[in-house]
Amino acid sequence: MNSKRHSEPAERILKTAGELFYTQGYAATGVNQIISEAGVARASFYQHFPSKKDLAVAYLRRRHRIWFQWLRSHVERETEPTARLSALFDFLADWLPASGYRGCAFLNMMSESPTLGGEIQAVIKQHKSELRDYIRALTAYLDVSPQEQIADVVLVLFEGAIIECQVMRDLWPIEAAKKGILRLIDR
């Protein structure tokens, strides 16, 4: 069997579910809608994803890889440590309007379904932990102390900027967070 042909339905399901979960929400997206819009048979859906939760886990893992690629490619164009921190917020300024201010897919899913628990919550927590580790790695090159505390402030302002931009549908929270961080590390 051609593995490409075998994976096509799974890819269509993941792509469709990702768009629907992100734009209309996890709880509002039903399996029947995903099957219909992906153009796959019900049996094919369940062959690849035994449940909606399994599909959500696959979606979040994929989203994590893609989102981190976007973030890293944006940040790592810069060579100076301060410029890299600044680029974190420049990334947000590019990404959020392009996404229609939908915000963080992980926080969105968690906030609408806080009782999901299990593997979905574990994937969300892993994503946030890896973001924290990435920011800590970026601050390790700064001449500031205590570095971990500064990194945690950057993380909180980064996450807060995402949420506030989503609510306000404006970029001013990103600029405020970026200015605050630059002021903090320049003290």
Side-chain angles (χ1 to χ4, degrees):
M1 182 186 312
N2 183 332
S3 63
K4 183 177 180 185
R5 290 183 73 197
H6 179 70
S7 67
E8 287 177 7
E11 180 61 29
R12 285 197 317 267
I13 293 165
L14 261 175
K15 186 176 187 307
T16 302
E19 291 168 3
L20 293 171
F21 289 163
Y22 191 65
T23 57
Q24 69 187 32
Y26 175 76
T29 302
V31 170
N32 289 338
Q33 182 184 14
I34 295 167
I35 289 169
S36 174
E37 292 192 25
V40 298
R42 178 172 297 283
S44 182
F45 175 90
Y46 286 108
Q47 175 187 0
H48 294 290
F49 305 100
S51 71
K52 184 179 171 186
K53 284 187 178 184
D54 291 320
L55 177 57
V57 167
Y59 156 68
L60 289 172
R61 286 183 176 148
R62 178 183 188 176
R63 179 74 182 191
H64 171 78
R65 284 190 308 275
I66 292 168
W67 188 87
F68 256 95
Q69 286 172 351
W70 293 338
L71 178 66
R72 283 187 178 108
S73 69
H74 204 92
V75 170
E76 293 169 12
R77 284 184 237 159
E78 302 295 337
T79 55
E80 289 276 308
T82 302
R84 282 189 167 189
L85 275 186
S86 184
L88 283 169
F89 295 93
D90 296 339
F91 165 77
L92 293 181
D94 289 345
W95 164 55
L96 287 167
S99 72
Y101 292 97
R102 283 293 300 147
C104 175
F106 299 86
L107 293 177
N108 291 347
M109 189 172 287
M110 185 59 126
S111 68
E112 72 170 305
S113 304
T115 59
L116 287 173
E119 198 171 0
I120 292 175
Q121 189 172 12
V123 172
I124 294 168
K125 191 172 183 176
Q126 178 185 356
H127 171 76
K128 295 304 179 181
S129 292
E130 287 186 31
L131 178 59
R132 184 180 192 201
D133 292 344
Y134 183 67
I135 291 173
R136 283 184 171 187
L138 292 175
T139 61
Y141 296 99
L142 296 171
D143 186 24
V144 294
S145 183
Q147 285 180 342
E148 283 188 356
Q149 195 171 36
I150 299 294
D152 288 346
V153 170
V154 173
L155 174 66
V156 169
L157 288 173
F158 184 86
E159 293 282 359
I162 293 170
I163 293 167
E164 194 65 18
C165 285
Q166 186 176 10
V167 170
M168 304 304 286
R169 302 187 71 73
D170 199 331
L171 296 177
W172 71 261
I174 295 168
E175 285 305 312
K178 181 177 169 180
K179 286 178 186 175
I181 290 302
L182 294 176
R183 197 170 17 250
L184 179 66
I185 63 175
D186 191 38
R187 56 187 165 105

